[in-house]
Amino acid sequence: MTAKADRPFDIVVYGATGYTGRLVAEYLAHHYQGKGPKWAMAGRSANKLAEVRDLIDAPADTPLIVANSDDPASMKALAESARVIVTTVGPYQLYGEPLLAACVAAGTDYADLCGEPVWMRQMADKYHEAAKASGARIAFSSGFDSIPFDLGVFMLQQQAKARFGAPAPRVKCRVRAMQGGFSGGTAASLTATMTALGKDPSLVPYMVSPFGLTPGFEGPAQPRSDAPEYDEALGSWCAPFIMAVINTKNVHRTNFLLGHPYGTDFVYDEMVLTGPGEQGEAIAKHMAVTPMIGNPNDPKPGEGPTKEERDNGHYDVLFTGEYPDGRTLRYGVKGRYDPGYGSTSRMLAETGIALLSCTAQGAIATPGALLGEALVKRLGEHAEITFAAED
């Protein structure tokens, strides 16, 4: 096996012919043209890879790699060709394990867009020790789920310790604004997860518990956040947030992997602000009973918004740290581009690049635990995502 430093590619984008994979490849081609990592595009069809390469105006000599998750030999060769693999081929519980296993065996760093907590727990249980042994750093959830939330809490707690000398034991996350839809891959992943739970009810606790990704550790009771409520401090009604089910688990896993710098008594929840008064209340109640994902008009995997829709998207997330004596700290994360595609593709690409200089030990981990402030810096400089204290 070729030593990592001597491999032909720094980064390979696996799934480059899919909708989101194409956006990742396009970002690398345009943002790092001639000045960045050596990278390649990988997928099942050489012809489709060539079509996408030309469609995104990538250099004609961009390397193309044919690989298929059904073919273990091609997964092994893919993992051994690069220092980092970024993959958009989901649902990961259906297609992800062969590549993950190959990366762990080869000591290859890996980042994906997985928002499937049951599969993530299964993979952590199965491969964490092997990843530690091989040095493979595996960063699940390297897109809108869950980077803005994982790193938002991480940065708030850095500020809290600098300002108050101790982490905030309670952090509330409130989505202030969001323009843009969820990806077809997200909808497909939710469907696959529900199918898996139906077949094996013993997996349900991993899905339900906020500590489903912290094996051996169960923290304090967490807010349910599954019904409308009024937030007195913000003067706004709040509705349940569909992505809280994965984001909260990743936030707690980062805390767990780093040795609980937020404290073992840390309490965290996420909701969406819907505004004040009767109108805010009505919107919150409507959102509470109207699923954001799982509708007949959800995009299919491979489908997505137009470039104009992606460019006009945005999100704005507020984190409030609270102390028992009434002290508070506010921290904001704001992103340009729609969360599910435009911003997510940039986050995944930048996570891959950040892994090239990562010094953390091998692990099945999170972007927050592996990369922390280094990734925050990259996202601010390259991906038009701002992280900032607000008071």
Side-chain angles (χ1 to χ4, degrees):
M1 183 168 57
T2 307
K4 278 177 78 170
D6 299 326
R7 293 178 183 178
F9 307 114
D10 294 317
I11 296 176
V12 173
V13 181
Y14 180 54
T17 58
Y19 186 93
T20 307
R22 187 182 81 210
L23 294 176
V24 176
E26 184 175 37
Y27 176 79
L28 289 172
H30 293 204
H31 203 75
Y32 290 100
Q33 179 71 43
K35 61 181 179 182
K38 295 178 292 182
W39 69 283
M41 298 165 57
R44 290 181 296 178
S45 164
N47 288 338
K48 285 186 178 179
L49 285 166
E51 286 176 17
V52 170
R53 178 196 61 203
D54 297 341
L55 181 69
I56 64 175
D57 292 325
D61 61 356
T62 301
L64 309 177
I65 301 171
V66 176
N68 192 325
S69 59
D70 292 340
D71 178 4
S74 76
M75 291 291 97
K76 181 176 186 290
L78 177 63
E80 294 179 358
S81 73
R83 294 170 60 195
V84 178
I85 306 287
V86 298
T87 172
T88 61
V89 180
Y92 294 92
Q93 60 199 284
L94 301 181
Y95 308 114
E97 186 172 358
L99 177 58
L100 175 64
C103 286
V104 169
T108 302
D109 295 340
Y110 162 110
D112 69 18
L113 299 175
C114 188
E116 304 162 42
V118 173
W119 182 78
M120 291 161 60
R121 173 59 185 266
Q122 291 172 317
M123 295 301 98
D125 289 349
K126 189 171 181 179
Y127 293 107
H128 185 66
E129 291 304 318
K132 286 170 64 175
S134 74
R137 292 165 292 217
I138 308 299
F140 290 145
S141 305
S142 302
F144 188 63
D145 48 345
S146 295
I147 279 178
F149 308 90
D150 183 18
L151 292 179
V153 174
F154 180 91
M155 293 302 294
L156 177 140
Q157 295 289 27
Q158 298 285 88
Q159 292 276 328
K161 283 180 277 189
R163 185 176 301 186
F164 300 130
R170 170 77 170 104
V171 173
K172 296 194 299 188
C173 167
R174 300 294 181 257
V175 179
R176 288 186 287 204
M178 190 170 71
Q179 175 67 41
F182 297 96
S183 72
T186 298
S189 293
L190 180 63
T191 300
T193 295
M194 291 301 113
T195 300
L197 295 177
K199 290 179 179 176
D200 186 355
S202 71
L203 300 174
V204 171
Y206 295 159
M207 188 72 178
V208 173
S209 172
F211 299 98
L213 296 179
T214 61
F217 174 78
E218 188 78 20
Q222 303 288 308
R224 289 178 58 99
S225 304
D226 58 355
E229 64 180 56
Y230 186 73
D231 190 317
E232 293 280 356
L234 297 175
S236 174
W237 281 88
C238 305
F241 183 41
I242 183 82
M243 294 179 64
V245 70
I246 177 62
N247 292 336
T248 54
K249 292 175 177 61
N250 278 318
V251 166
H252 286 298
R253 182 161 176 81
T254 292
N255 189 34
F256 170 77
L257 290 171
L258 293 177
H260 293 106
Y262 313 160
T264 55
D265 59 345
F266 178 61
V267 175
Y268 175 72
D269 76 322
E270 298 179 354
M271 299 191 81
V272 181
L273 297 181
T274 58
E278 293 181 359
Q279 183 178 11
E281 182 180 10
I283 295 170
K285 289 180 175 177
H286 175 74
M287 290 179 65
V289 297
T290 306
M292 298 176 75
I293 300 178
N295 301 301
N297 59 349
D298 283 344
K300 303 294 185 287
E303 296 178 353
T306 64
K307 183 179 185 304
E308 182 181 18
E309 288 170 333
R310 295 196 306 270
D311 288 350
N312 287 334
H314 60 270
Y315 52 91
D316 177 356
V317 185
L318 172 68
F319 300 86
T320 304
E322 298 180 343
Y323 292 81
D325 61 6
R327 290 176 299 171
T328 62
L329 178 71
R330 288 161 60 109
Y331 198 90
V333 178
K334 300 177 183 179
R336 194 185 157 200
Y337 307 109
D338 79 298
Y341 300 92
S343 192
T344 277
S345 57
R346 288 163 169 80
M347 283 187 258
L348 180 61
E350 292 297 341
T351 300
I353 294 172
L355 283 169
L356 292 171
S357 53
C358 178
T359 58
Q361 71 170 9
I364 306 290
T366 60
L370 290 172
L371 298 164
E373 287 189 64
L375 183 54
V376 169
K377 188 170 186 287
R378 288 209 69 86
L379 294 172
E381 291 175 349
H382 300 280
E384 298 180 73
I385 302 173
T386 60
F387 292 79
E390 296 196 354
D391 54 349

